[in-house]
């Protein structure tokens, strides 16, 4: 158990809909990362937040957005969903997120299925 | 961002040591080598990381060559539960994120 929690575990929805994925970091961690894992793309970095502020952006679509709240939990919002958005979404957290020496710990993921 | 090369798959007999190689010839001086593994579709699990010196923890040992262009992850006594995809990551993205390749699928057989 990494200490990172994600809800829900599974989500099934239809094209065009909007969903919200939630992540709670390990106690004491200030940084949250979101990754997407699809069959054809592997694990791809989406976005990082540090202490409530956006710190880095990866291959995140404009239809996707995220935020980190004062209690440090984070939400990833996916809108106008398409079939290709079906994937595993992982959240990771780290103490500071300031560079390569900061170990990231991953949650169990949310499996999103868009029908 | 350092790119890594790993064999796509490896087999190991249960109870034997599993040695997983990784080439990271483009790694820069301040970039760490990280190893994670992913069992089925679970979240990636941190194993170990290192910069220059060899490292050991309760899960594995990491041997980094002196020129830092390659490393080997050693699972000293592999069990069936070690069957997973193992990812070697050389440093991180310019923004501190991890860049995952395709990894090595390790199959531990009885």
């Amino acid at each position: 158990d990494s200490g990172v929690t994600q809800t829900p575990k599974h989500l099934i929805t239809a094209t065009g809909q909007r969903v919200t994925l939630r992540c709670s970091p390990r106690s004491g961690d200030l940084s949250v990362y979101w990754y997407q894992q699809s069959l054809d793309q592997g694990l791809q970095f989406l976005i990082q937040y540090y202490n409530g502020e956006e710190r880095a952006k990866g291959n995140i679509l404009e239809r996707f957005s995220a935020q980190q709240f004062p209690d440090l939990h984070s939400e990833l919002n996916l809108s106008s969903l398409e079939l290709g958005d079906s994937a595993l979404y992982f959240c990771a957290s780290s103490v500071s997120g300031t560079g390569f020496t900061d170990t990231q710990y991953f949650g169990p993921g949310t499996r999103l299925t868009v029908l | 961002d350092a790119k890594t090369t790993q064999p796509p798959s490896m087999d190991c007999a249960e109870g034997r040591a599993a040695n997983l190689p990784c080439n990271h010839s483009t790694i820069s001086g301040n970039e760490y080598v990280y190893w994670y593994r992913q069992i089925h579709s679970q979240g990636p699990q941190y194993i170990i990381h290192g910069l220059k010196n060899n490292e050991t923890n309760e899960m594995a040992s990491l041997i980094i060559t002196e020129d830092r262009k390659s490393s080997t992850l050693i699972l000293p006594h592999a069990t069936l539960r070690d069957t997973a995809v193992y990812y070697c990551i050389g440093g991180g993205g310019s923004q501190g994120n991890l860049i995952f390749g395709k990894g090595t699928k390790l199959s531990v057989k009885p």
Side-chain angles (χ1 to χ4, degrees):
Chain A
D1 183 359
S2 67
V4 179
T5 61
Q6 290 187 248
T7 56
K9 284 187 178 179
H10 303 278
L11 201 48
I12 301 174
T13 188
T15 54
Q17 295 298 305
R18 172 190 168 95
V19 297
T20 298
L21 312 183
R22 182 187 169 104
C23 167
S24 292
R26 294 187 318 155
S27 176
D29 285 359
L30 298 179
S31 198
V32 169
Y33 307 76
W34 286 96
Y35 291 83
Q36 177 193 56
Q37 186 175 33
S38 57
L39 280 174
D40 57 345
Q41 292 291 327
L43 272 156
Q44 299 278 315
F45 167 68
L46 295 178
I47 197 165
Q48 178 199 359
Y49 276 80
Y50 173 73
N51 204 21
E53 300 288 327
E54 181 185 304
R55 170 161 284 185
K57 257 186 177 180
N59 301 321
I60 188 166
L61 300 172
E62 286 191 11
R63 299 184 285 109
F64 296 0
S65 65
Q67 53 184 325
Q68 186 178 27
F69 295 86
D71 66 353
L72 300 177
H73 91 270
S74 177
E75 293 181 355
L76 179 67
N77 300 297
L78 315 176
S79 61
S80 303
L81 285 167
E82 301 175 359
L83 296 177
D85 297 327
S86 295
L88 280 164
Y89 291 85
F90 291 105
C91 163
S93 74
S94 68
V95 173
S96 64
T98 54
F100 311 142
T101 62
D102 204 24
T103 301
Q104 295 180 31
Y105 294 90
F106 285 76
T110 293
R111 180 179 292 278
L112 174 66
T113 302
V114 182
L115 301 175
Chain B
D1 303 347
K3 290 184 171 48
T4 59
T5 304
Q6 298 178 255
S9 64
M10 291 181 64
D11 289 342
C12 178
E14 188 178 20
R16 304 296 293 269
N19 297 281
L20 291 89
C22 178
N23 180 291
H24 34 78
S25 57
T26 60
I27 198 170
S28 61
N30 65 343
E31 289 184 319
Y32 278 67
V33 178
Y34 280 91
W35 283 83
Y36 283 78
R37 72 180 182 184
Q38 188 173 25
I39 298 172
H40 195 46
S41 294
Q42 298 177 21
Q45 179 188 21
Y46 166 77
I47 302 173
I48 200 167
H49 74 281
L51 184 61
K52 292 181 183 177
N53 300 320
N54 299 336
E55 303 286 345
T56 295
N57 63 19
E58 65 278 5
M59 287 184 68
S61 294
L62 174 61
I63 309 296
I64 303 173
T65 59
E66 194 168 340
D67 63 8
R68 300 206 336 115
K69 292 187 177 181
S70 65
S71 62
T72 300
L73 178 75
I74 301 171
L75 307 178
H77 305 287
T79 70
L80 299 178
R81 287 179 292 181
D82 292 322
T83 292
V85 177
Y86 287 76
Y87 297 99
C88 165
I89 301 165
S94 57
Q95 302 152 326
N97 56 287
L98 298 173
I99 299 176
F100 287 84
K102 296 188 184 300
T104 295
K105 184 172 183 177
L106 176 68
S107 298
V108 180
K109 300 181 185 296

